[in-house]
Amino acid sequence: MAYDLIVIGSGPGGYVCAIKAAQLGLKVAVVEKRATYGGTCLNVGCIPSKALLHASETYSHAAHGMEALGIDGVKPTLNLPKMMAHKDATVKSNVDGVAFLFKKNKIDGIQGTGKVLGAGKVSVTSDKGEEQVLETKNIVIATGSDVAGIPGVSVDIDETIIVSSTGGIALEKVPGHLIVVGGGVIGLELGSVWARLGAKVTVVEYLDTILGGMDGDVSKQFQRMLAKQGMDFKLGAKVTGVEKAGSGAKVTFEPVKGGDATTIDADVVLIATGRKPYTEGLGLKEAGVALDNRGRVEIDNHFQTNVPGIYALGDVVRGPMLAHKAEDEGVAVAEILAGQAGHVNYDVIPGVVYTQPEVASVGKTEEELKAAGIAYKAGKFPFTANGRARAMLATDGFVKVLADKETDRVLGVHIVGFGAGEMIHEAAVLMEFGGSSEDLGRTCHAHPTMSEAVKEAALATFFKPIHM
Ligand code: NAI
């Protein structure tokens, strides 16, 4: 039987595309080589890491955050296998949820490794080596990304001593010393997990700042907060070697500006230096599908590759490697295939780092506006001046709103603080509708909430905040 659409890969981009296409009346199949649906995000990425981030934060709060609230005598003990079981159960309910939605939407899930044979033809090889060829009007490549490793350094990732994020969410015991190579999102999230559970954590980062690309104010203040929580940072440090030594490992790095190399010992090393598009074994070259110079599948504005009928989305194409960006692209591609106008607004894609406090951002940073020569005004409001934050002892952080100097249209919002990942969405909605800082500042916000700081930062942008 011929399909209207075969999606290769069932991560957030692929499975959402499949569901949306089925909802719009297309006959859809999804090819997935893992035993479960959901891709990296649901199986070994976003979802399990959030289970561990929440559990480790609760543990750390119970251990250190209670007395200040007048609750004495709480002395939690860590049951790591049980914490991991919570993580596994969270993953299971999510991947089972996708399987349920496939059934509900009459999507055929086909287990095996997909290969593009050309427009309209996909081969699937099962674990047992049996191959079948499926026919389809359209193909969507949604194969995601894989660990990039350290450019120019050969590293043997065994997922026990030298781990990627996959091994980093499955350690059997809390390492004495964890070295994190790369101060990006994965490094800081997983570094936080193990630091809260008792590990000494050292982050070695090439740039002079953590979270490169985030607003400068945010990354500076956030680094101070993480340092206060006990994380050690070696910035401007290029890792040139990671090797196993005894029961642990050694990491060698040298100053980016030049100078002597340093070697430090670790029990576990987490390699978190980015991810690369995953196109291995897909047969793209043979099928004539073009890649760009960074190995990403090249697409036009309608997500179509140079081969008509073959589309691609998510981590395997240009843009930020974020699950929600992939999901929105999945919806857009399904709509385009169903003859509708699918569209993604890349100017309004929030980014969240799920540490404690959280970091959240949408739109342009101050550095980007400066570089683009756009005249802007900035308003900032600290959580120290927010009543709810004081009541919860969650006064770390601030909200920053950036608006066009002439038109007052909001161009970027950056938040460091408890619940930032939830608060950012009012900014996203405002920006989606082209709202101004005055619109945001005049929108009634419930009192007392952390979100009032968003309103106050908006007030600070177009005139003056009240509570400062
Ligand atoms: P990343 O690109 O965020 O950070 C990698 C860091 O490693 C960079 O700061 C880079 O300067 C540094 N680095 C590279 N080579 C180095 C070297 N030789 N020595 C020292 N430092 C070096 O990549 P990350 O954290 O691995 O994440 C991968 C992808 O997954 C990202 O695109 C990220 O957005 C996504 N992700 C998103 C999450 C979220 O939204 N909460 C959570 C986890 C991952």
Side-chain angles (χ1 to χ4, degrees):
M1 180 195 48
Y3 290 100
D4 294 316
L5 169 63
I6 294 180
V7 181
I8 305 179
S10 71
Y15 88 70
V16 167
C17 181
I19 292 173
K20 185 72 185 181
Q23 287 173 343
L24 293 172
L26 272 57
K27 178 72 198 143
V28 183
V30 176
V31 179
E32 172 56 61
K33 67 177 180 182
R34 255 181 229 274
T36 51
Y37 300 124
T40 300
C41 176
L42 272 66
N43 287 280
V44 290
C46 331
I47 295 296
S49 66
K50 262 78 263 177
L52 290 184
L53 277 155
H54 176 72
S56 61
E57 167 56 17
T58 307
Y59 172 77
S60 156
H61 194 66
H64 309 293
M66 291 298 184
E67 284 173 17
L69 298 170
I71 306 165
D72 287 342
V74 180
K75 289 191 180 63
T77 49
L78 175 64
N79 184 336
L80 188 59
K82 208 163 171 183
M83 200 176 273
M84 291 294 171
H86 159 65
K87 176 204 72 176
D88 294 340
T90 308
V91 168
K92 183 165 178 356
S93 63
N94 278 271
V95 299
D96 286 354
V98 176
F100 164 79
L101 291 170
F102 278 6
K103 230 181 226 159
K104 183 179 165 195
N105 288 286
K106 302 192 172 43
I107 294 165
D108 288 345
I110 301 169
Q111 204 278 324
T113 303
K115 192 171 169 185
V116 179
L117 299 180
K121 271 197 173 59
V122 172
S123 92
V124 184
T125 308
S126 73
D127 285 352
K128 294 182 194 120
E130 290 154 0
E131 188 183 352
Q132 57 175 319
V133 176
L134 304 169
E135 305 223 332
T136 178
K137 287 188 193 139
N138 297 290
I139 298 169
V140 167
I141 298 163
T143 44
S145 59
D146 196 6
V147 178
I150 308 177
V153 181
S154 149
V155 184
D156 171 25
I157 296 181
D158 66 355
E159 298 297 8
T160 311
I161 304 293
I162 302 175
V163 299
S164 71
S165 53
T166 303
I169 56 166
L171 301 181
E172 280 174 8
K173 61 177 194 185
V174 180
H177 185 201
L178 171 70
I179 296 181
V180 175
V181 184
V185 194
I186 293 183
L188 299 179
E189 287 188 354
L190 293 186
S192 293
V193 165
W194 296 105
R196 291 166 189 166
L197 298 181
K200 169 180 158 54
V201 174
T202 306
V203 178
V204 187
E205 165 58 48
Y206 183 90
L207 302 174
D208 288 331
T209 156
I210 58 168
L211 291 182
M214 278 265 183
D215 192 273
D217 258 357
V218 168
S219 46
K220 256 184 250 133
Q221 187 156 346
F222 183 55
Q223 190 196 326
R224 281 198 289 271
M225 290 172 189
L226 292 180
K228 231 166 68 186
Q229 292 173 21
M231 256 192 226
D232 192 17
F233 291 96
K234 311 277 182 216
L235 300 184
K238 181 182 178 187
V239 170
T240 53
V242 179
E243 24 187 82
K244 280 199 219 159
S247 60
K250 282 185 188 308
V251 174
T252 304
F253 54 90
E254 54 190 44
V256 172
K257 290 187 183 129
D260 293 342
T262 309
T263 299
I264 47 178
D265 295 328
D267 299 291
V268 173
V269 180
L270 169 66
I271 308 295
T273 43
R275 297 181 63 85
K276 58 175 186 219
Y278 186 72
T279 54
E280 225 174 274
L282 255 180
L284 297 185
K285 202 168 170 203
E286 298 84 330
V289 176
L291 304 183
D292 68 14
N293 56 0
R294 289 165 66 179
R296 303 175 294 196
V297 178
E298 214 155 26
I299 49 170
D300 64 16
N301 288 338
H302 294 94
F303 306 94
Q304 190 161 222
T305 67
N306 60 318
V307 179
I310 304 182
Y311 296 77
L313 55 79
D315 283 9
V316 84
V317 303
R318 82 280 177 275
M321 289 184 169
L322 294 172
H324 43 283
K325 171 258 194 189
E327 288 182 42
D328 284 12
E329 289 180 339
V331 169
V333 170
E335 287 174 336
I336 289 167
L337 294 179
Q340 301 181 356
H343 172 73
V344 175
N345 181 1
Y346 290 99
D347 289 334
V348 186
I349 294 183
V352 178
V353 187
Y354 298 88
T355 42
Q356 196 54 265
E358 288 180 345
V359 179
S361 139
V362 62
K364 298 274 183 276
T365 64
E366 231 176 309
E367 291 74 15
E368 283 171 336
L369 292 175
K370 273 184 195 145
I374 297 171
Y376 65 94
K377 46 195 182 163
K380 221 169 144 181
F381 192 81
F383 285 108
T384 42
N386 173 279
R388 182 69 182 278
R390 286 184 190 141
M392 300 195 307
L393 295 180
T395 51
D396 271 352
F398 62 86
V399 181
K400 178 155 112 177
V401 174
L402 303 169
D404 188 287
K405 199 166 188 175
E406 290 278 303
T407 63
D408 192 35
R409 184 180 176 143
V410 173
L411 302 173
V413 175
H414 307 276
I415 310 176
V416 189
F418 181 87
E422 303 295 335
M423 278 183 276
I424 198 68
H425 295 100
E426 68 165 307
V429 172
L430 178 98
M431 288 171 67
E432 193 64 50
F433 284 86
S436 65
S437 72
E438 184 169 358
D439 289 329
L440 189 50
R442 288 188 188 278
T443 301
C444 186
H445 282 62
H447 177 73
T449 57
M450 299 283 288
S451 299
E452 284 174 290
V454 178
K455 172 182 171 159
E456 290 273 12
L459 286 174
T461 310
F462 88 89
F463 183 53
K464 285 178 182 175
I466 300 292
H467 294 91
M468 221 171 64

